[in-house]
Amino acid sequence: MAAPAPSKNTRKALGRLSLPERTFVADALRAETVGGVLLLVAAIAALIWANTLSGSYESVSDFHIGPSALGLDLSIEHWAADGLLAVFFFVAGIELKRELVAGDLRDPKAAVLPVVAALCGMAVPALVYFLVNITGGGSLDGWAVPTATDIAFALAVLAVIGTSLPSSLRAFLLTLAVVDDLFAILIIAIFFTSDINFAALAGAVVGLGVFWLLLRKGVRGWYVYVPLALVIWGLMYNSGIHATIAGVAMGLMLRCTRRDDEEHSPGEHIEHLVRPFSAGLAVPLFALFSAGVAVSGSALTDVFTRPETLGVVLGLVVGKAVGIFGGTWLTARFTRASLSEELAWPDVFAVASLAGIGFTVSLLIGELAFTEDPLLTDEIKAAVLMGSLIAAVLSSVLLKIRNAKYRAMCADEERDDDLDGIPDIYEEDKPEYHLRMAEIYEKKAAEHRRLAEVAGGASDGSSRPA
């Protein structure tokens, strides 16, 4: 009896990407991976500097510079956190806009999986932190620290360990991180906003309106937008709302859809120009002046004994993996989506554990949550580093276990037997592809027949008597 045809409404969770989306994801992953390596180098440099020449590290970090008349007499550390990270969030805003108008988040059915997974991947770590600190009598102020995923660091681990990870899982991780960034931005804007200066906020809103209008009118020129962006950032900083929100808002305003006469949309073009500065300078400098914490035996012991720091570690390592895996499983269980035949649930868990690497945004939220307690801030940073390290090691082990299967899947995705530059897996339903393959096989068969005849002739000749 023939098997029933699959329902048209059945959708494959983490299924194969379309060829254009696969190309975009590959390019984005390469850029993020380079940024992750630089981020790792900066973090190691910060730890070495802070633990060998702590006096000079603190003096440089606390050195103030900037016009005090404009309320911008900030330390180097604050310039890195409030200024340079605005560039990072600007790029994140562009990525989010692209996902909303041209990527997976455009289709509500496809968006359900990464959105639910990201929400569960933020709610469960926050719950883990809450339970640990309720039980241990710690401060609840740091509940948001373990909720963020650092995509650059995570992809740097993938570059080293999961080289053959299927493109669908890589895209899932990338989309998940974009949604994660969105909710992290909302957390910063809602829960970590000090007293609001409404005059400065109104000025920032007017500046954003001018920015949008110039984009709408098609005005070009960095000399117009860069000064305007600096003014908007300065007003947003003085308003009491975290200044990185200005970067996100401007990124979301850029058009990320292509017109008929365009090779790239304005959003894609500007992201291409700004991303090297963000990944190569802004984020590594933030890491350099944020990750420098004193590491000692007692400090490492405190990470696992103090409720605030233990909550961060468990939130990143356990909460992230359980939350993202659970959200993905629940989506597949209670919707029409089903897991792609190429994947198994251990694959999803390996990627979910990889999302426990929280660095950039986790460090930022840690600073915002405990501004009144510098000692606890440093301990929270140490907890973020330790939790991220454990998550990286755990996910590396899981990815290594599954790597043999990944290699076979990756080879199948990359196979191009007809040598037309397009993987065969995307052409299997095209008649012209099968005609090309038939011609190739016929040529191979003819060559084999010729070789067989030659070999047969040589054999007959050698068997004749002298």
Side-chain angles (χ1 to χ4, degrees):
M1 182 176 177
S7 169
K8 291 183 179 180
N9 293 324
T10 300
R11 185 174 55 82
K12 293 298 178 187
L14 303 178
R16 188 186 309 131
L17 304 176
S18 66
L19 186 58
E21 187 68 12
R22 182 174 179 266
T23 303
F24 171 82
V25 168
D27 292 341
L29 288 171
R30 278 193 290 269
E32 293 282 10
T33 300
V34 173
V37 172
L38 293 174
L39 189 59
L40 179 60
V41 171
I44 293 173
L47 289 170
I48 294 173
W49 186 6
N51 285 276
T52 56
L53 300 169
S54 59
S56 66
Y57 182 84
E58 292 175 1
S59 62
V60 172
S61 297
D62 294 337
F63 182 77
H64 279 63
I65 188 173
S68 55
L70 299 178
L72 298 175
D73 182 20
L74 310 178
S75 67
I76 297 295
E77 182 180 359
H78 277 110
W79 274 112
D82 294 292
L84 292 176
L85 272 196
V87 180
F88 165 79
F89 278 102
F90 174 70
V91 174
I94 299 175
E95 290 176 340
L96 177 60
K97 179 67 173 289
R98 186 203 168 273
E99 287 293 329
L100 290 170
V101 301
D104 284 348
L105 300 183
R106 174 184 57 179
D107 179 7
K109 292 181 180 179
V112 169
L113 182 64
V115 169
V116 171
L119 282 173
C120 293
M122 300 183 83
V124 176
L127 179 62
V128 169
Y129 180 93
F130 181 82
L131 292 175
V132 170
N133 281 272
I134 282 290
T135 305
S139 171
L140 299 179
D141 292 342
W143 64 270
V145 176
T147 60
T149 293
D150 193 294
I151 186 60
F153 250 148
L155 292 175
V157 173
L158 271 187
V160 177
I161 303 299
T163 53
S164 300
L165 194 70
S167 58
S168 58
L169 280 178
R170 290 173 178 262
F172 173 64
L173 181 62
L174 191 63
T175 307
L176 183 78
V178 171
V179 179
D180 192 291
D181 283 342
L182 169 63
F183 288 108
I185 290 160
L186 293 176
I187 287 173
I188 292 171
I190 296 172
F191 296 100
F192 297 102
T193 295
S194 56
D195 296 334
I196 296 179
N197 181 331
F198 287 100
L201 179 59
V205 171
V206 170
L208 289 170
V210 173
F211 189 88
W212 177 83
L213 186 61
L214 291 173
L215 290 172
R216 188 71 180 268
K217 295 294 184 181
V219 176
R220 297 186 178 184
W222 65 267
Y223 47 83
V224 175
Y225 290 102
V226 172
L228 178 59
L230 292 174
V231 170
I232 294 170
W233 176 86
L235 289 168
M236 189 69 75
Y237 177 83
N238 281 286
S239 72
I241 296 176
H242 200 269
T244 53
I245 303 301
V248 177
M250 288 184 278
L252 287 171
M253 289 182 181
L254 292 171
R255 177 169 58 82
C256 292
T257 53
R258 301 177 189 177
R259 293 173 179 166
D260 294 337
D261 59 340
E262 292 178 334
E263 184 178 356
H264 301 287
S265 68
E268 291 172 325
H269 177 66
I270 293 174
E271 181 186 6
H272 178 73
L273 294 176
V274 177
R275 185 185 287 277
F277 176 78
S278 172
L281 184 66
V283 177
L285 280 177
F286 167 76
L288 183 64
F289 291 108
S290 293
V293 294
V295 178
S296 63
S298 60
L300 294 177
T301 302
D302 289 344
V303 166
F304 295 99
T305 56
R306 184 159 184 167
E308 293 89 350
T309 51
L310 180 61
V312 169
V313 172
L314 292 178
L316 288 172
V317 177
V318 179
K320 274 289 184 182
V322 172
I324 292 174
F325 178 83
T328 306
W329 184 85
L330 287 172
T331 303
R333 174 69 178 80
F334 294 105
T335 69
R336 295 181 181 274
S338 61
L339 192 66
S340 173
E341 294 89 348
E342 299 176 334
L343 302 174
W345 285 110
D347 301 319
V348 180
F349 187 79
V351 172
S353 64
L354 188 63
I357 301 176
F359 190 79
T360 308
V361 180
S362 290
L363 290 176
L364 175 61
I365 294 177
E367 291 183 356
L368 297 174
F370 299 104
T371 52
E372 304 301 323
D373 191 342
L375 179 60
L376 183 54
T377 299
D378 284 345
E379 291 177 344
I380 289 292
K381 289 180 180 180
V384 170
L385 295 175
M386 181 58 67
S388 298
L389 177 62
I390 295 173
V393 171
L394 174 63
S395 59
S396 297
V397 172
L398 294 173
L399 289 169
K400 273 295 184 184
I401 292 172
R402 304 289 294 175
N403 212 37
K405 180 183 178 183
Y406 294 152
R407 279 196 296 270
M409 293 169 60
C410 190
D412 191 49
E413 281 189 356
E414 298 293 336
R415 195 181 73 252
D416 184 18
D417 290 339
D418 61 343
L419 304 177
D420 67 342
I422 299 175
D424 294 343
I425 203 167
Y426 291 98
E427 299 186 294
E428 290 175 347
D429 59 342
K430 296 180 179 179
E432 55 270 25
Y433 162 75
H434 293 285
L435 289 173
R436 287 195 302 272
M437 291 305 301
E439 183 179 351
I440 290 171
Y441 289 138
E442 180 57 37
K443 287 181 179 179
K444 288 182 177 180
E447 178 66 14
H448 283 299
R449 283 193 294 269
R450 185 187 68 80
L451 293 173
E453 290 171 358
V454 171
S459 175
D460 291 344
S462 63
S463 64
R464 292 172 184 169

